[in-house]
mmCIF file of all heavy atoms in Angstrom:
data_model
loop_
_atom_site.group_PDB
_atom_site.id
_atom_site.type_symbol
_atom_site.label_atom_id
_atom_site.label_comp_id
_atom_site.label_asym_id
_atom_site.label_seq_id
_atom_site.Cartn_x
_atom_site.Cartn_y
_atom_site.Cartn_z
ATOM 1 N N LYS I 1 0.841 -1.193 0.000
ATOM 2 C CA LYS I 1 0.000 0.000 0.000
ATOM 3 C C LYS I 1 0.878 1.246 0.000
ATOM 4 O O LYS I 1 1.538 1.545 0.992
ATOM 5 C CB LYS I 1 -0.921 -0.014 1.220
ATOM 6 C CG LYS I 1 -1.921 -1.170 1.216
ATOM 7 C CD LYS I 1 -2.834 -1.119 2.425
ATOM 8 C CE LYS I 1 -3.848 -2.260 2.380
ATOM 9 N NZ LYS I 1 -4.753 -2.240 3.543
ATOM 10 N N PHE I 2 0.868 1.940 -1.114
ATOM 11 C CA PHE I 2 1.731 3.107 -1.267
ATOM 12 C C PHE I 2 0.988 4.262 -1.923
ATOM 13 O O PHE I 2 -0.040 4.081 -2.576
ATOM 14 C CB PHE I 2 2.943 2.772 -2.140
ATOM 15 C CG PHE I 2 3.812 1.660 -1.626
ATOM 16 C CD1 PHE I 2 3.749 0.394 -2.191
ATOM 17 C CD2 PHE I 2 4.689 1.884 -0.566
ATOM 18 C CE1 PHE I 2 4.556 -0.636 -1.724
ATOM 19 C CE2 PHE I 2 5.489 0.864 -0.086
ATOM 20 C CZ PHE I 2 5.421 -0.403 -0.670
ATOM 21 N N ILE I 3 1.567 5.440 -1.762
ATOM 22 C CA ILE I 3 1.162 6.631 -2.502
ATOM 23 C C ILE I 3 2.346 7.043 -3.369
ATOM 24 O O ILE I 3 3.475 7.142 -2.876
ATOM 25 C CB ILE I 3 0.785 7.797 -1.566
ATOM 26 C CG1 ILE I 3 -0.425 7.437 -0.699
ATOM 27 C CG2 ILE I 3 0.504 9.062 -2.380
ATOM 28 C CD1 ILE I 3 -1.718 7.249 -1.450
ATOM 29 N N LEU I 4 2.080 7.262 -4.639
ATOM 30 C CA LEU I 4 3.102 7.803 -5.538
ATOM 31 C C LEU I 4 2.891 9.310 -5.609
ATOM 32 O O LEU I 4 1.796 9.780 -5.895
ATOM 33 C CB LEU I 4 2.978 7.192 -6.932
ATOM 34 C CG LEU I 4 3.919 7.769 -8.000
ATOM 35 C CD1 LEU I 4 5.373 7.440 -7.674
ATOM 36 C CD2 LEU I 4 3.548 7.247 -9.385
ATOM 37 N N VAL I 5 3.950 10.052 -5.323
ATOM 38 C CA VAL I 5 3.885 11.511 -5.343
ATOM 39 C C VAL I 5 4.779 12.035 -6.472
ATOM 40 O O VAL I 5 5.951 11.666 -6.563
ATOM 41 C CB VAL I 5 4.357 12.119 -4.006
ATOM 42 C CG1 VAL I 5 4.171 13.636 -4.032
ATOM 43 C CG2 VAL I 5 3.610 11.505 -2.835
ATOM 44 N N SER I 6 4.190 12.848 -7.324
ATOM 45 C CA SER I 6 4.955 13.539 -8.357
ATOM 46 C C SER I 6 5.095 14.990 -7.930
ATOM 47 O O SER I 6 4.109 15.736 -7.889
ATOM 48 C CB SER I 6 4.240 13.444 -9.711
ATOM 49 O OG SER I 6 4.943 14.175 -10.698
ATOM 50 N N SER I 7 6.307 15.380 -7.569
ATOM 51 C CA SER I 7 6.543 16.695 -6.972
ATOM 52 C C SER I 7 7.667 17.404 -7.721
ATOM 53 O O SER I 7 8.855 17.147 -7.473
ATOM 54 C CB SER I 7 6.920 16.513 -5.491
ATOM 55 O OG SER I 7 7.100 17.732 -4.850
ATOM 56 N N PRO I 8 7.331 18.292 -8.670
ATOM 57 C CA PRO I 8 8.341 18.943 -9.515
ATOM 58 C C PRO I 8 9.435 19.630 -8.698
ATOM 59 O O PRO I 8 9.144 20.533 -7.912
ATOM 60 C CB PRO I 8 7.533 19.978 -10.305
ATOM 61 C CG PRO I 8 6.125 19.491 -10.255
ATOM 62 C CD PRO I 8 5.968 18.807 -8.944
ATOM 63 N N PRO I 9 10.678 19.217 -8.855
ATOM 64 C CA PRO I 9 11.776 19.806 -8.066
ATOM 65 C C PRO I 9 11.916 21.306 -8.236
ATOM 66 O O PRO I 9 12.362 21.993 -7.310
ATOM 67 C CB PRO I 9 13.021 19.077 -8.606
ATOM 68 C CG PRO I 9 12.503 17.829 -9.235
ATOM 69 C CD PRO I 9 11.153 18.167 -9.775
ATOM 70 N N SER I 10 11.537 21.827 -9.379
ATOM 71 C CA SER I 10 11.667 23.266 -9.623
ATOM 72 C C SER I 10 10.567 24.070 -8.929
ATOM 73 O O SER I 10 10.684 25.289 -8.781
ATOM 74 C CB SER I 10 11.619 23.545 -11.130
ATOM 75 O OG SER I 10 10.382 23.123 -11.677
ATOM 76 N N LYS I 11 9.511 23.389 -8.486
ATOM 77 C CA LYS I 11 8.366 24.074 -7.889
ATOM 78 C C LYS I 11 8.183 23.764 -6.405
ATOM 79 O O LYS I 11 7.623 24.583 -5.658
ATOM 80 C CB LYS I 11 7.077 23.681 -8.625
ATOM 81 C CG LYS I 11 7.068 23.985 -10.110
ATOM 82 C CD LYS I 11 6.965 25.468 -10.360
ATOM 83 C CE LYS I 11 6.778 25.754 -11.858
ATOM 84 N NZ LYS I 11 6.665 27.204 -12.144
ATOM 85 N N GLU I 12 8.626 22.587 -5.963
ATOM 86 C CA GLU I 12 8.351 22.133 -4.604
ATOM 87 C C GLU I 12 9.629 21.948 -3.791
ATOM 88 O O GLU I 12 10.711 21.725 -4.341
ATOM 89 C CB GLU I 12 7.559 20.825 -4.639
ATOM 90 C CG GLU I 12 6.185 20.945 -5.276
ATOM 91 C CD GLU I 12 5.237 21.808 -4.468
ATOM 92 O OE1 GLU I 12 5.451 21.952 -3.249
ATOM 93 O OE2 GLU I 12 4.280 22.347 -5.065
ATOM 94 N N ASN I 13 9.454 21.986 -2.484
ATOM 95 C CA ASN I 13 10.576 21.925 -1.548
ATOM 96 C C ASN I 13 10.890 20.463 -1.170
ATOM 97 O O ASN I 13 10.753 20.067 -0.018
ATOM 98 C CB ASN I 13 10.232 22.735 -0.292
ATOM 99 C CG ASN I 13 11.461 23.199 0.449
ATOM 100 O OD1 ASN I 13 12.577 22.826 0.120
ATOM 101 N ND2 ASN I 13 11.259 24.004 1.476
ATOM 102 N N ASN I 14 11.320 19.678 -2.154
ATOM 103 C CA ASN I 14 11.497 18.243 -1.941
ATOM 104 C C ASN I 14 12.632 17.910 -0.973
ATOM 105 O O ASN I 14 12.534 16.951 -0.201
ATOM 106 C CB ASN I 14 11.757 17.541 -3.280
ATOM 107 C CG ASN I 14 10.543 17.602 -4.190
ATOM 108 O OD1 ASN I 14 9.418 17.799 -3.731
ATOM 109 N ND2 ASN I 14 10.754 17.443 -5.477
ATOM 110 N N THR I 15 13.687 18.686 -1.015
ATOM 111 C CA THR I 15 14.817 18.435 -0.116
ATOM 112 C C THR I 15 14.390 18.587 1.337
ATOM 113 O O THR I 15 14.738 17.772 2.199
ATOM 114 C CB THR I 15 15.983 19.392 -0.426
ATOM 115 O OG1 THR I 15 16.409 19.198 -1.780
ATOM 116 C CG2 THR I 15 17.156 19.124 0.512
ATOM 117 N N GLU I 16 13.611 19.632 1.615
ATOM 118 C CA GLU I 16 13.124 19.853 2.980
ATOM 119 C C GLU I 16 12.144 18.763 3.390
ATOM 120 O O GLU I 16 12.088 18.380 4.564
ATOM 121 C CB GLU I 16 12.450 21.226 3.081
ATOM 122 C CG GLU I 16 13.421 22.388 3.065
ATOM 123 C CD GLU I 16 14.389 22.364 4.248
ATOM 124 O OE1 GLU I 16 13.942 22.098 5.380
ATOM 125 O OE2 GLU I 16 15.582 22.593 4.036
ATOM 126 N N TYR I 17 11.377 18.256 2.436
ATOM 127 C CA TYR I 17 10.434 17.180 2.751
ATOM 128 C C TYR I 17 11.177 15.953 3.267
ATOM 129 O O TYR I 17 10.819 15.379 4.305
ATOM 130 C CB TYR I 17 9.597 16.807 1.526
ATOM 131 C CG TYR I 17 8.657 15.653 1.798
ATOM 132 C CD1 TYR I 17 7.395 15.876 2.325
ATOM 133 C CD2 TYR I 17 9.045 14.333 1.550
ATOM 134 C CE1 TYR I 17 6.531 14.822 2.604
ATOM 135 C CE2 TYR I 17 8.193 13.278 1.830
ATOM 136 C CZ TYR I 17 6.939 13.529 2.347
ATOM 137 O OH TYR I 17 6.104 12.476 2.635
ATOM 138 N N ILE I 18 12.206 15.553 2.543
ATOM 139 C CA ILE I 18 12.977 14.375 2.937
ATOM 140 C C ILE I 18 13.663 14.604 4.281
ATOM 141 O O ILE I 18 13.625 13.751 5.179
ATOM 142 C CB ILE I 18 14.027 14.026 1.861
ATOM 143 C CG1 ILE I 18 13.342 13.551 0.575
ATOM 144 C CG2 ILE I 18 14.987 12.957 2.366
ATOM 145 C CD1 ILE I 18 12.534 12.275 0.739
ATOM 146 N N LYS I 19 14.263 15.763 4.442
ATOM 147 C CA LYS I 19 14.979 16.064 5.684
ATOM 148 C C LYS I 19 14.036 16.063 6.885
ATOM 149 O O LYS I 19 14.315 15.429 7.909
ATOM 150 C CB LYS I 19 15.682 17.427 5.559
ATOM 151 C CG LYS I 19 16.502 17.792 6.795
ATOM 152 C CD LYS I 19 17.217 19.129 6.614
ATOM 153 C CE LYS I 19 16.262 20.288 6.722
ATOM 154 N NZ LYS I 19 16.951 21.606 6.687
ATOM 155 N N THR I 20 12.923 16.761 6.746
ATOM 156 C CA THR I 20 11.986 16.859 7.864
ATOM 157 C C THR I 20 11.320 15.520 8.139
ATOM 158 O O THR I 20 11.068 15.166 9.295
ATOM 159 C CB THR I 20 10.920 17.939 7.580
ATOM 160 O OG1 THR I 20 11.579 19.170 7.255
ATOM 161 C CG2 THR I 20 10.026 18.151 8.783
ATOM 162 N N SER I 21 11.034 14.765 7.096
ATOM 163 C CA SER I 21 10.450 13.432 7.261
ATOM 164 C C SER I 21 11.346 12.550 8.125
ATOM 165 O O SER I 21 10.888 11.866 9.049
ATOM 166 C CB SER I 21 10.235 12.778 5.892
ATOM 167 O OG SER I 21 9.811 11.440 6.046
ATOM 168 N N LYS I 22 12.623 12.567 7.846
ATOM 169 C CA LYS I 22 13.577 11.757 8.614
ATOM 170 C C LYS I 22 13.630 12.197 10.075
ATOM 171 O O LYS I 22 13.696 11.364 10.984
ATOM 172 C CB LYS I 22 14.971 11.849 7.982
ATOM 173 C CG LYS I 22 15.096 11.132 6.642
ATOM 174 C CD LYS I 22 16.490 11.310 6.056
ATOM 175 C CE LYS I 22 16.636 10.566 4.745
ATOM 176 N NZ LYS I 22 17.978 10.780 4.133
ATOM 177 N N LEU I 23 13.603 13.507 10.300
ATOM 178 C CA LEU I 23 13.674 14.028 11.661
ATOM 179 C C LEU I 23 12.400 13.719 12.456
ATOM 180 O O LEU I 23 12.467 13.315 13.616
ATOM 181 C CB LEU I 23 13.923 15.538 11.626
ATOM 182 C CG LEU I 23 15.321 15.959 11.168
ATOM 183 C CD1 LEU I 23 15.374 17.464 10.923
ATOM 184 C CD2 LEU I 23 16.369 15.568 12.198
ATOM 185 N N PHE I 24 11.251 13.899 11.827
ATOM 186 C CA PHE I 24 9.983 13.565 12.490
ATOM 187 C C PHE I 24 9.933 12.079 12.835
ATOM 188 O O PHE I 24 9.498 11.694 13.930
ATOM 189 C CB PHE I 24 8.800 13.935 11.592
ATOM 190 C CG PHE I 24 8.391 15.381 11.672
ATOM 191 C CD1 PHE I 24 9.257 16.357 12.143
ATOM 192 C CD2 PHE I 24 7.134 15.784 11.257
ATOM 193 C CE1 PHE I 24 8.881 17.686 12.222
ATOM 194 C CE2 PHE I 24 6.741 17.106 11.316
ATOM 195 C CZ PHE I 24 7.616 18.067 11.798
ATOM 196 N N PHE I 25 10.341 11.265 11.880
ATOM 197 C CA PHE I 25 10.339 9.812 12.086
ATOM 198 C C PHE I 25 11.293 9.427 13.220
ATOM 199 O O PHE I 25 10.992 8.561 14.045
ATOM 200 C CB PHE I 25 10.746 9.106 10.790
ATOM 201 C CG PHE I 25 10.560 7.612 10.812
ATOM 202 C CD1 PHE I 25 9.316 7.048 10.575
ATOM 203 C CD2 PHE I 25 11.631 6.771 11.076
ATOM 204 C CE1 PHE I 25 9.138 5.670 10.602
ATOM 205 C CE2 PHE I 25 11.466 5.392 11.108
ATOM 206 C CZ PHE I 25 10.209 4.844 10.864
ATOM 207 N N LYS I 26 12.421 10.098 13.272
ATOM 208 C CA LYS I 26 13.434 9.795 14.277
ATOM 209 C C LYS I 26 12.929 10.022 15.694
ATOM 210 O O LYS I 26 13.257 9.260 16.613
ATOM 211 C CB LYS I 26 14.682 10.653 14.034
ATOM 212 C CG LYS I 26 15.836 10.377 14.999
ATOM 213 C CD LYS I 26 17.051 11.226 14.653
ATOM 214 C CE LYS I 26 18.195 10.953 15.614
ATOM 215 N NZ LYS I 26 19.399 11.774 15.269
ATOM 216 N N ILE I 27 12.106 11.053 15.890
ATOM 217 C CA ILE I 27 11.631 11.338 17.243
ATOM 218 C C ILE I 27 10.328 10.592 17.572
ATOM 219 O O ILE I 27 9.783 10.731 18.663
ATOM 220 C CB ILE I 27 11.433 12.849 17.486
ATOM 221 C CG1 ILE I 27 10.307 13.418 16.631
ATOM 222 C CG2 ILE I 27 12.732 13.607 17.264
ATOM 223 C CD1 ILE I 27 9.936 14.847 16.986
ATOM 224 N N GLY I 28 9.830 9.806 16.608
ATOM 225 C CA GLY I 28 8.695 8.944 16.912
ATOM 226 C C GLY I 28 7.328 9.433 16.481
ATOM 227 O O GLY I 28 6.317 8.890 16.927
ATOM 228 N N LEU I 29 7.275 10.438 15.613
ATOM 229 C CA LEU I 29 5.989 10.890 15.090
ATOM 230 C C LEU I 29 5.575 10.021 13.907
ATOM 231 O O LEU I 29 6.425 9.432 13.230
ATOM 232 C CB LEU I 29 6.073 12.351 14.649
ATOM 233 C CG LEU I 29 6.329 13.384 15.748
ATOM 234 C CD1 LEU I 29 6.457 14.771 15.144
ATOM 235 C CD2 LEU I 29 5.232 13.364 16.798
ATOM 236 N N SER I 30 4.265 9.933 13.678
ATOM 237 C CA SER I 30 3.758 9.141 12.558
ATOM 238 C C SER I 30 3.725 9.989 11.289
ATOM 239 O O SER I 30 2.813 10.807 11.098
ATOM 240 C CB SER I 30 2.357 8.605 12.863
ATOM 241 O OG SER I 30 2.403 7.542 13.786
ATOM 242 N N VAL I 31 4.724 9.815 10.464
ATOM 243 C CA VAL I 31 4.751 10.436 9.142
ATOM 244 C C VAL I 31 4.864 9.305 8.120
ATOM 245 O O VAL I 31 5.345 8.227 8.447
ATOM 246 C CB VAL I 31 5.942 11.416 8.999
ATOM 247 C CG1 VAL I 31 5.779 12.607 9.934
ATOM 248 C CG2 VAL I 31 7.270 10.711 9.257
ATOM 249 N N PRO I 32 4.410 9.526 6.887
ATOM 250 C CA PRO I 32 4.488 8.455 5.894
ATOM 251 C C PRO I 32 5.940 8.017 5.652
ATOM 252 O O PRO I 32 6.802 8.843 5.344
ATOM 253 C CB PRO I 32 3.898 9.107 4.631
ATOM 254 C CG PRO I 32 3.050 10.215 5.136
ATOM 255 C CD PRO I 32 3.751 10.732 6.356
#
């Protein structure tokens, strides 16, 4: 069960998404 996300690098903040996702996950929050 997955979601495919198409997020244009020139328009969206993809680097921050990955970074923040890892940090949220690390402290135990439920993020995808």
Side-chain angles (χ1 to χ4, degrees):
K1 296 182 178 180
F2 301 103
I3 297 294
L4 175 66
V5 184
S6 177
S7 183
S10 61
K11 302 288 187 180
E12 297 293 337
N13 203 353
N14 294 339
T15 300
E16 287 298 317
Y17 177 87
I18 293 297
K19 182 178 74 174
T20 306
S21 174
K22 290 178 178 178
L23 289 169
F24 277 20
F25 190 81
K26 182 178 180 179
I27 66 171
L29 295 177
S30 286
V31 294

